[in-house]
Amino acid sequence: MATIKNIAIGTGRRKTATARVFLRDGSGKIVVNGKDIAEYFASEEQVRTVHRPLLVTSNENKFDILINVVGGGLNGQAAACLHGVSRALLQIDPDSRASLKANGYLTRDSRMVERKKYGQRGARRRFQFSKR
């Protein structure tokens, strides 16, 4: 049995989602959590989000990509996958750094949901004030 060799590994994060990305030599097949990418993500926009770093570096059909993603919702997971794929591509070709950085794919989007505070209805929303 021949083992499949990972060329590069990248970790991507967004909100509470974390994606582990494994790049292998292949024909451009992307598998997310054991399913085909189009089958896993609900909208075409989310699929395009994951493909963006490949298009920018013109590596569309050079690698097979295996992604394990946990946490968050589908949009956060798609953005985490984008971040992980970008980091993995950077390991293979350090010259692609300029194009990936220019598009903002190497920056971890640090925006998180603000926690709910006690004595309030939400993070910032207060209960309705009553004078009497």
Side-chain angles (χ1 to χ4, degrees):
M1 185 179 114
T3 57
I4 300 164
K5 180 91 170 81
N6 293 326
I7 302 171
I9 301 170
T11 305
R13 293 188 183 87
R14 171 75 174 100
K15 292 187 176 182
T16 56
T18 303
R20 290 181 305 162
V21 178
F22 304 95
L23 254 64
R24 301 166 173 175
D25 279 321
S27 58
K29 189 171 184 231
I30 301 178
V31 177
V32 183
N33 289 355
K35 294 182 181 177
D36 185 62
I37 187 167
E39 194 181 319
Y40 184 81
F41 287 115
S43 73
E44 189 61 39
E45 181 58 38
Q46 292 163 343
V47 174
R48 279 198 302 271
T49 299
V50 179
H51 278 285
R52 276 191 218 140
L54 297 167
L55 296 170
V56 167
T57 57
S58 60
N59 287 321
E60 295 98 282
N61 297 319
K62 291 183 185 172
F63 306 109
D64 281 348
I65 303 173
L66 176 70
I67 304 173
N68 294 328
V69 63
V70 290
L74 288 178
N75 275 325
Q77 287 186 351
C81 292
L82 174 139
H83 190 221
V85 169
S86 300
R87 282 180 158 186
L89 285 170
L90 196 63
Q91 285 182 3
I92 293 169
D93 182 22
D95 300 332
S96 64
R97 183 176 194 81
S99 58
L100 289 169
K101 198 167 174 67
N103 286 291
Y105 297 155
L106 296 176
T107 306
R108 194 257 199 237
D109 193 341
S110 61
R111 293 176 294 172
M112 297 285 276
V113 175
E114 193 174 331
R115 77 174 190 87
K116 184 198 170 295
K117 317 301 188 301
Y118 57 86
Q120 291 178 200
R121 227 173 69 183
R124 298 187 178 194
R125 177 85 168 100
R126 307 289 209 276
F127 289 115
Q128 186 170 335
F129 174 73
S130 172
K131 198 169 185 177
R132 282 170 199 91

